Amino acid sequence: MPSDVLTRFFERLKFIRWAKIYPPDVPSNDPDRFLRCQDALHLEFAALVDRAVAAGWRADEVLTTIIELADNHALMLAARPSSKKSRLALQPQP
């Protein structure tokens, strides 16, 4: 792999690693809130996938693992006795 490609890759990772996750800028009942959350998390998500692939994992393995981790985390949040707010957040929104 040419060194300029590697340099650009690591520069991109450095930028993404310090990318800010912006807080919500709309109320919790705004119909675009879910899309705004995706926008806020996209760079960090892409950076995580890029780092895992750079470490040698296949992209399909990484994505499947992230889905499994997200599912397990959602189940954990829903199971907490004191997490009524979390359980409500996991319910489908109209």
Side-chain angles (χ1 to χ4, degrees):
M1 191 179 271
S3 64
D4 60 322
V5 173
L6 284 175
T7 301
R8 283 193 311 246
F9 174 75
F10 286 113
E11 284 300 314
R12 181 173 171 232
L13 281 181
K14 189 184 335 177
F15 166 75
I16 291 173
R17 184 177 304 144
W18 299 108
K20 180 177 178 168
I21 297 176
Y22 294 97
D25 59 354
V26 294
S28 61
N29 61 348
D30 188 286
D32 290 335
R33 189 172 167 103
F34 181 68
L35 291 174
R36 302 264 181 124
C37 184
Q38 288 181 44
D39 288 344
L41 297 177
H42 181 261
L43 288 178
E44 288 294 326
F45 173 78
L48 174 63
V49 173
D50 287 347
R51 287 193 314 269
V53 169
W57 298 101
R58 291 189 329 261
D60 64 315
E61 294 172 316
V62 174
L63 296 173
T64 302
T65 298
I66 289 171
I67 292 167
E68 187 72 20
L69 289 170
D71 187 47
N72 289 341
H73 194 76
L75 291 171
M76 179 203 57
L77 290 176
R80 288 183 181 168
S82 62
S83 65
K84 180 179 179 184
K85 186 175 180 182
S86 295
R87 285 193 301 277
L88 291 174
L90 295 173
Q91 294 177 354
Q93 301 298 313

